[in-house]
Amino acid sequence: MNQSPDQDSPTTPDDLAARLGRAVAHHRAGRLADAERDYRTVLAAHPSHSDALHLLGVLALQAGHPGPAVELIEEAIRQAGGVADYHDNLGSALAALDRHAEAADAHRMAVALNPLAARPRHNLGNAFQAQALPGLAALAFTAAVELEPGYAKAWYNLGNALRDQNRRADALRAFARAAVLAPAMVEAHTNLSDALSAAGRLDEALTQARAALRLRPDDAKVHHNLGTALQRKGSYEGAEIAYREALKRAPDNPVTLNELGSVLLKLGRPAQAEQCFRRVLSRNPHAVEAIHNLGNALRAQGQFTKAEACYEEALAHDPDLASASDNLAVIALLHGRLERGWEGYERRFAAGRVLPDRRIDAPRWRGEGLRRRRLLVWREQGVGDEILFASCYGDVIAWGGGPVTIETDPRLVSLFARSFPRATVRAETLDSEGRETVVPPDFDLQVPAGSLPGLLRGTLASFDQFTPWLKPDPARTALWRDRLDALGPGLKVGIGWRSQLATPEHKGAYTTLDQWGPLFALPGVVFVNLQYGDCAEEIAAAEARFGVTIHRWDDLDLKDDFEAAAAVTANL
């Protein structure tokens, strides 16, 4: 920005216009040095030439010199203040100096001077967005796309502003429009992928992430975003590859290292995950997420004391970190420290580990007498957890002294109704969108089932001397007694060996049938399958390998017919 003007100065108005036209041509062609020389030549002959001042300011901004740009454009405005482009470009120069409030004022003036132009409204939206005013930004971007429906960048930025307001469906539509209008805009595909993923449309999210990768295959961020899409879909092996590709291009990116570590945990490789988190912490010892995740990796390796230290440190940095409190609770319960365990277990919903997290318009029950008030006990987590927590239902009914309603998975309604005849048992009154369907509530107090042990099982002794709490149907129990007796003599033993969600992360909690050789060799035992889900191949392989029969019946639905499952189990 220090070139001297051409010595061949224009002397007539026609010469001046010609020299300015030549400068603009150079500018448009990207010959910035030539353009600057000619702009300065015009200004040497006519120092108050507003167009030359303005365009030289624009050139300075493009060259990365926003300070001189502001001075030049402000002088142009002093010479001719009614030109919308002058004010609009002044706003852009001010924004480059992080003077966003002043930038917004300049763009507002440009809008007032040219109300039918889309660009000043788009730039005004950027100024609002830079001030963390997404509502105002969205209004400005919306005005821009209404004036110019094919304005891809405005649609993209509208999506960003809407996302910042948690208007996810609207943001998704805006990103989709941007991606259609500008297929080569990598950022549009990336943000559309994130929005689709948040909406649960994971296959479409992956398509957009891969489109971005095709456009920019050497971009670390694009590989990272592909990894995120694959991670959300549960394709952890693919996510690992994508994150490692990102780290080849940006080796120290803490976000990618954190995500790679999380994926390695899901893949059951906690020692490798630990190294990822330690790499983050070697550069930023106070990175709370990495501290917490390191605790997860250590806990997965059975290093509970070290894991607890990590969770405590994470809480020291962020006392509201619910996942750390929840993880501390799990470790405390594992070691029989019930008081602290149950207290921390109440953070399970805030930690996002437990669903559904219902918002019921009724006070929470804290274990006080009901005094004729009706209590709702509502299900949480999976059906196995429901059955476990149901061990407390009889105590609630007997102790509370008031009417109790139990809400459960529809498959458990009849079994629970028979087992707890003094309670009203019904299917969960929550629709697929998470909305309560009984409004206003037909109860006075409410409590999630998983909170009952904290109220009723304060000591380890309180778990002793249990009797069965579920009562199978007598007729079906008799039917299955006959069918099992028909298998001949021997001890009838039911077997199950895994959850339906046997992920690599949880594989250490389960067995596989190829590990059962010593048990299958025991004499006098008749084995009966209680494993639900698709396990036919596993059973056939075990039978062939060990020469054992594992009895099962085609008309026994262990996954969805809990009355049948209970009747069979009662005879084993």
Side-chain angles (χ1 to χ4, degrees):
M1 294 300 298
N2 296 310
Q3 280 200 13
S4 299
D6 194 324
Q7 296 303 313
D8 181 17
S9 299
T11 57
T12 68
D14 288 344
D15 289 342
L16 200 69
R19 183 58 62 94
L20 183 64
R22 189 172 76 178
V24 170
H26 285 316
H27 198 161
R28 288 174 175 168
R31 298 187 294 272
L32 300 188
D34 293 334
E36 180 182 351
R37 181 195 63 231
D38 284 339
Y39 288 140
R40 291 192 181 279
T41 297
V42 171
L43 289 169
H46 190 342
S48 61
H49 196 292
S50 61
D51 281 345
L53 286 164
H54 167 244
L55 291 170
L56 185 59
V58 171
L59 189 150
L61 179 60
Q62 292 172 332
H65 305 293
V70 168
E71 294 175 4
L72 286 162
I73 299 173
E74 284 181 335
E75 181 60 28
I77 291 171
R78 280 191 286 271
Q79 300 301 326
V83 183
D85 282 351
Y86 292 6
H87 292 277
D88 196 35
N89 286 324
L90 174 62
S92 297
L94 289 165
L97 293 169
D98 292 329
R99 293 160 61 181
H100 298 294
E102 296 171 78
D105 290 338
H107 294 309
R108 279 196 192 95
M109 180 60 73
V111 168
L113 290 167
N114 190 359
L116 297 181
R119 194 184 80 162
R121 294 182 184 274
H122 171 259
N123 291 339
L124 177 59
N126 286 335
F128 285 138
Q129 192 75 343
Q131 297 176 77
L133 300 169
L136 292 175
L139 291 174
F141 293 134
T142 299
V145 299
E146 287 175 348
L147 288 166
E148 190 178 324
Y151 198 162
K153 192 64 178 290
W155 280 107
Y156 168 76
N157 283 326
L158 174 59
N160 290 330
L162 292 167
R163 181 186 58 190
D164 289 347
Q165 297 176 80
N166 291 319
R167 295 168 59 185
R168 294 176 182 173
D170 293 333
L172 192 157
R173 285 189 286 270
F175 290 136
R177 185 68 178 152
V180 169
L181 290 169
M185 188 191 297
V186 173
E187 294 79 9
H189 292 288
T190 296
N191 286 9
L192 177 56
S193 175
D194 287 340
L196 288 164
S197 181
R201 295 161 60 179
L202 300 179
D203 289 331
E204 295 170 82
L206 274 175
T207 297
Q208 294 300 322
R210 288 179 172 129
L213 186 63
R214 286 192 295 272
L215 290 166
R216 202 178 287 168
D218 292 323
D219 190 313
K221 184 177 179 180
V222 172
H223 283 281
H224 175 95
N225 288 334
L226 175 61
T228 299
L230 289 163
Q231 185 177 356
R232 288 173 175 168
K233 189 172 170 57
S235 301
Y236 299 122
E237 293 85 354
E240 178 190 358
I241 293 170
Y243 287 137
R244 291 194 184 281
E245 287 295 320
L247 288 170
K248 286 179 184 177
R249 295 158 175 83
D252 296 327
N253 186 293
V255 178
T256 305
L257 284 166
N258 253 319
E259 295 300 326
L260 175 59
S262 297
V263 163
L264 292 169
L265 275 177
K266 294 287 187 184
L267 290 170
R269 290 148 60 189
Q272 293 179 35
E274 177 186 348
Q275 296 309 308
C276 290
F277 304 134
R278 290 196 184 279
R279 280 179 62 187
V280 176
L281 293 170
S282 69
R283 293 164 178 80
N284 181 5
H286 302 299
V288 176
E289 185 177 4
I291 295 168
H292 175 265
N293 287 342
L294 176 60
N296 291 339
L298 293 167
R299 188 181 74 169
Q301 297 175 77
Q303 299 180 46
F304 298 114
T305 301
K306 292 181 179 180
E308 284 183 304
C310 287
Y311 297 140
E312 295 283 10
E313 183 181 354
L315 284 170
H317 289 291
D318 182 0
D320 295 326
L321 187 60
S323 54
S325 296
D326 182 51
N327 285 326
L328 281 169
V330 172
I331 293 176
L333 291 172
L334 181 66
H335 291 89
R337 303 194 299 269
L338 299 190
E339 183 175 358
R340 179 171 187 181
W342 293 136
E343 179 184 0
Y345 195 64
E346 287 302 298
R347 303 299 304 280
R348 64 195 182 279
F349 293 107
R353 182 174 62 83
V354 170
L355 293 172
D357 185 6
R358 294 172 67 171
R359 297 291 186 267
I360 299 176
D361 188 18
R364 177 75 170 269
W365 185 57
R366 304 293 180 183
E368 71 275 18
L370 294 176
R371 299 191 301 276
R372 306 177 70 84
R373 294 174 296 174
R374 179 168 288 277
L375 171 66
L376 171 70
V377 180
W378 48 275
R379 65 167 294 273
E380 62 173 85
Q381 306 181 54
V383 291
D385 299 284
E386 286 191 68
I387 291 170
L388 177 68
F389 297 139
S391 64
C392 295
Y393 290 177
D395 290 355
V396 172
I397 295 165
W399 178 34
V404 175
T405 296
I406 296 169
E407 287 193 359
T408 186
D409 185 289
R411 295 170 293 177
L412 286 169
V413 169
S414 60
L415 181 59
F416 277 15
R418 182 183 311 106
S419 303
F420 309 109
R422 292 174 52 192
T424 299
V425 179
R426 68 190 184 197
E428 179 181 61
T429 55
L430 196 69
D431 69 14
S432 60
E433 300 297 322
R435 295 179 296 241
E436 297 294 326
T437 59
V438 178
V439 180
D442 58 358
F443 44 84
D444 305 294
L445 301 165
Q446 53 85 19
V447 65
S451 293
L452 295 177
L455 298 171
L456 302 171
R457 305 286 182 262
T459 66
L460 292 176
S462 62
F463 287 90
D464 293 344
Q465 298 179 350
F466 268 90
T467 57
W469 58 88
L470 298 183
K471 296 179 173 56
D473 176 43
R476 298 182 79 169
T477 301
L479 170 66
W480 278 102
R481 184 181 304 114
D482 292 340
R483 297 182 76 171
L484 289 164
D485 285 346
L487 298 178
L491 182 66
K492 309 300 191 302
V493 176
I495 62 171
W497 53 94
R498 59 170 169 78
S499 166
Q500 186 176 5
L501 300 175
T503 63
E505 181 185 15
H506 296 111
K507 66 182 180 181
Y510 306 120
T511 65
T512 56
L513 282 184
D514 60 5
Q515 299 170 309
W516 283 54
L519 294 174
F520 288 143
L522 291 172
V525 177
V526 178
F527 293 99
V528 174
N529 178 51
L530 290 179
Q531 178 61 55
Y532 61 90
D534 184 9
C535 57
E537 290 186 7
E538 294 171 84
I539 291 175
E543 289 180 325
R545 178 176 179 180
F546 299 113
V548 68
T549 298
I550 301 173
H551 297 279
R552 62 267 192 203
W553 292 264
D554 291 338
D555 62 345
L556 175 57
D557 181 359
L558 290 163
K559 183 174 184 296
D560 292 318
D561 188 350
F562 288 132
E563 287 283 19
V568 174
T569 303
N571 285 290
L572 297 172

